[in-house]
Amino acid sequence: MEHTPTIRSKIETELKQRGYSFSSFSKISGINRGTFSAMLNSNPPKPISVRQMDLITKALGYPEGWLYELYIDECFYEGKGHWKRIKPFLLRCVELGKRDFIQKVLSRLTEDLSYVPTIFELAEELHKAGKEKEAVPFYECVIENERYYHSERLAISQYRLFRIQLGTNAEENLKLTIQFSPFLYRLPEAYQLDALLQMANIYSSLHKWSQTIFHSQKLLELATRIYEYRKAQDYKKYDELEPYSSERSLVVYYGQALLMQAYSLQKQELYQEAKEMVSRYADLSWFRGLDEIGQREVEKIKMYATANGYVLDLLMGDNRNLGDYILLLEENEQEILPGILTLLEVANKQFLNIDYILNHFSDYIRKFSENEDALYMDDYCNFNLQLSIYRFNSKNYTLGIDTILRNLELATLLNNSNVFAQSIILFEKYKGFATKKQYAEFTVHKKKFEKDFNFVF
């Protein structure tokens, strides 16, 4: 039977082969001779710290992590977990990307489920330090081993994974939303605000307007309840009020809840109802407890209301404020893409010529494809659809078909079957104007999407 080396036997073998004494090796490693001797010769031996292990590895000329697999037993000396050794080791494994060793340690650690709260605390520590991706195996460990299904710790871990895993793939984002939704109302209220906003945005990106409105209404109800509760505390001892913290100011959740409902109504062509909703967030300066950041957010929401008011007027056939709307877009670069998208929708419905506007914003239009944010890309896909229609209406068929082909490629990348289907329908309508090369490219995109996502049009 082959003898499994221990970390100490491995070090001793290396010292012997290289002819080092404790004195000589202590000089090159920077570890005190007595400390080094106690690590190898004491009974029981003195524990080896992660830092000492790294110093030994460096002194022997081995790459970082050389002794890490053997060090796992050092963390569980005599079969018992020693957190003072385990935590520094896990953090070092995080730094070096040694996920396999992290999994081995967590697997042994959770043989005793009393460690689950400690693992959760470490996950939160990593998350707070901006190491969201690195925290994933720790949150997964909590989810797999939490004994109490209704625990807040489990709900927060599910929420963290939900947020971390969101990406540009629209259908995957929807799956993540559905998986997370049972844990929503087990979260602290501050987390619920963030979660509801994310969920509403995801449903909006997929044009699921009823779900967008539902989650926006829930967000509004929660933000209102929190606001009313905290306002009532002004008449009591304010220092007795429980601390409240979320990713954004409370007024943002309140305003966004109204804004997203208005947007959903607009997309369903319920323009008058949308205008009434816009009026509700046009001036939120009445909101109490606004700090400097909150006041800036109120001004930003006010700008959105002005812009969306112009948009609704345009969609309802009133073009008197078109010049003001273009000026507003120039002053707010982040609004240019959704703004031009709206102008294209208006132009396509009313058969207007807006070439001069497209030329005016041509530099910005060229940059649209460079942003990889999922919600931004949704706007970009719809921009391409509307731009194609505009070009077909202008009898510029070659450019219109080129735009559709770019959209098919983007829809495949985002796994957005809704955009893909709309693009295919549009192509089929104008395929008689396609060149042989364009038709061949269309066929390739269509087959690739159907093969990759098992979806037949």
Side-chain angles (χ1 to χ4, degrees):
M1 182 176 179
E2 186 177 345
H3 175 67
T4 302
T6 65
I7 191 169
R8 286 171 177 78
S9 67
K10 190 75 172 174
I11 294 170
E12 287 171 345
T13 299
E14 288 290 332
L15 296 182
K16 185 176 180 181
Q17 289 178 348
R18 300 179 186 220
Y20 285 123
S21 65
F22 288 167
S23 294
S24 60
F25 191 70
S26 68
K27 290 178 182 178
I28 67 166
S29 65
I31 300 173
N32 178 274
R33 180 190 181 285
T35 301
F36 191 67
S37 176
M39 290 178 195
L40 301 183
N41 292 337
S42 294
N43 189 15
K46 179 181 174 63
I48 302 172
S49 71
V50 175
R51 178 179 174 278
Q52 290 164 341
M53 176 177 58
D54 286 342
L55 288 172
I56 292 168
T57 298
K58 184 177 180 181
L60 292 172
Y62 283 104
E64 290 181 311
W66 169 58
L67 293 169
Y68 278 29
E69 187 159 17
L70 296 175
Y71 191 76
I72 294 173
D73 286 331
E74 186 78 3
C75 293
F76 294 89
Y77 184 68
E78 296 183 339
K80 181 182 178 182
H82 297 272
W83 186 246
K84 287 185 178 180
R85 263 170 273 167
I86 291 172
K87 181 179 178 181
F89 179 56
L90 288 172
L91 290 174
R92 189 73 177 110
C93 287
V94 166
E95 287 179 22
L96 298 178
K98 302 288 186 182
R99 188 158 179 166
D100 51 342
F101 296 148
I102 291 172
Q103 295 290 5
K104 287 180 181 180
V105 171
L106 292 177
S107 178
R108 288 183 64 171
L109 201 57
T110 49
E111 290 174 8
D112 179 355
L113 294 181
S114 67
Y115 276 107
V116 171
T118 308
I119 295 168
F120 174 74
E121 289 172 7
L122 180 55
E124 288 287 87
E125 185 179 318
L126 289 168
H127 189 275
K128 188 175 181 180
K131 298 180 178 179
E132 290 89 353
K133 297 290 186 184
E134 292 86 346
V136 166
F138 300 94
Y139 286 123
E140 289 175 339
C141 180
V142 173
I143 290 168
E144 290 170 7
N145 294 281
E146 175 58 58
R147 287 176 288 186
Y148 304 107
Y149 185 74
H150 292 277
S151 80
E152 185 179 284
R153 184 167 50 239
L154 176 60
I156 291 174
S157 296
Q158 292 281 7
Y159 168 67
R160 295 294 194 208
L161 282 187
F162 166 64
R163 290 292 304 274
I164 292 167
Q165 293 171 348
L166 289 176
T168 58
N169 188 312
E171 300 297 333
E172 280 301 314
N173 287 346
L174 179 59
K175 289 179 185 177
L176 291 169
T177 302
I178 293 169
Q179 289 169 4
F180 163 71
S181 58
F183 300 93
L184 172 62
Y185 295 110
R186 294 175 200 156
L187 288 169
E189 287 185 335
Y191 291 90
Q192 287 184 37
L193 289 169
D194 300 321
L196 283 166
L197 182 57
Q198 289 293 326
M199 295 168 83
N201 275 321
I202 288 163
Y203 284 116
S204 176
S205 72
L206 291 165
H207 300 179
K208 296 182 181 294
W209 305 122
S210 62
Q211 285 287 354
T212 305
I213 290 175
F214 174 82
H215 286 86
S216 298
Q217 288 174 337
K218 292 296 182 184
L219 178 59
L220 181 63
E221 291 169 11
L222 178 58
T224 302
R225 186 167 70 248
I226 294 172
Y227 176 73
E228 292 298 333
Y229 170 76
R230 297 188 71 78
K231 186 175 71 170
Q233 305 313 302
D234 288 351
Y235 304 105
K236 301 178 182 179
K237 292 183 179 178
Y238 195 82
D239 56 3
E240 294 179 2
L241 187 61
E242 292 182 9
Y244 168 80
S245 62
S246 60
E247 288 187 19
R248 311 181 192 194
S249 296
L250 185 59
V251 70
V252 173
Y253 300 108
Y254 186 92
Q256 284 289 327
L258 293 167
L259 190 153
M260 296 188 74
Q261 289 182 66
Y263 181 70
S264 299
L265 291 167
Q266 174 192 317
K267 287 299 182 181
Q268 296 174 85
E269 300 187 1
L270 300 171
Y271 301 135
Q272 194 56 51
E273 291 93 327
K275 287 200 78 168
E276 291 171 7
M277 192 66 70
V278 168
S279 68
R280 292 177 62 184
Y281 65 85
D283 183 4
L284 298 180
S285 59
W286 54 265
F287 216 86
R288 295 178 66 174
L290 293 172
D291 57 11
E292 186 178 342
I293 294 175
Q295 290 171 353
R296 286 202 299 268
E297 292 294 345
V298 166
E299 289 302 310
K300 188 187 297 183
I301 293 168
K302 184 177 181 180
M303 181 274 292
Y304 290 148
T306 302
N308 293 336
Y310 291 156
V311 164
L312 289 165
D313 286 341
L314 290 168
L315 289 169
M316 295 169 75
D318 183 353
N319 299 335
R320 288 175 295 177
N321 292 320
L322 178 58
D324 291 332
Y325 185 50
I326 292 172
L327 182 61
L328 184 147
L329 296 182
E330 289 176 337
E331 294 173 348
N332 299 275
E333 185 175 333
Q334 75 279 7
E335 291 301 301
I336 292 176
L337 173 56
I340 297 179
L341 169 58
T342 298
L343 291 172
L344 283 168
E345 290 174 353
V346 171
N348 290 334
K349 285 183 177 181
Q350 302 176 18
F351 295 97
L352 300 177
N353 185 318
I354 61 166
D355 285 349
Y356 71 101
I357 297 175
L358 296 177
N359 290 333
H360 182 71
F361 289 109
S362 59
D363 289 340
Y364 293 100
I365 292 173
R366 279 192 288 271
K367 297 177 183 177
F368 288 166
S369 62
E370 298 171 6
N371 192 319
E372 294 184 356
D373 179 82
L375 297 176
Y376 188 97
M377 294 304 284
D378 173 62
D379 274 347
Y380 183 53
C381 284
N382 289 307
F383 167 81
N384 282 334
L385 281 171
Q386 293 299 324
L387 182 60
S388 299
I389 294 169
Y390 179 77
R391 285 171 169 166
F392 290 139
N393 289 343
S394 303
K395 303 189 184 307
N396 198 337
Y397 301 112
T398 300
L399 278 178
I401 290 171
D402 280 342
T403 305
I404 290 177
L405 294 174
R406 280 200 302 274
N407 226 30
L408 289 172
E409 184 177 357
L410 188 59
T412 304
L413 178 65
L414 299 176
N415 190 21
N416 193 322
S417 56
N418 181 48
V419 169
F420 202 91
Q422 290 182 72
S423 300
I424 282 186
I425 290 169
L426 198 53
F427 185 94
E428 292 287 353
K429 183 176 179 180
Y430 292 97
K431 64 183 179 182
F433 297 98
T435 65
K436 288 183 179 180
K437 183 179 179 181
Q438 287 175 324
Y439 198 88
E441 187 177 341
F442 165 76
T443 304
V444 169
H445 283 307
K446 184 179 177 183
K447 287 182 177 178
K448 186 177 189 307
F449 190 92
E450 291 176 342
K451 178 182 178 183
D452 289 352
F453 302 107
N454 193 29
F455 196 105
V456 178
F457 288 95

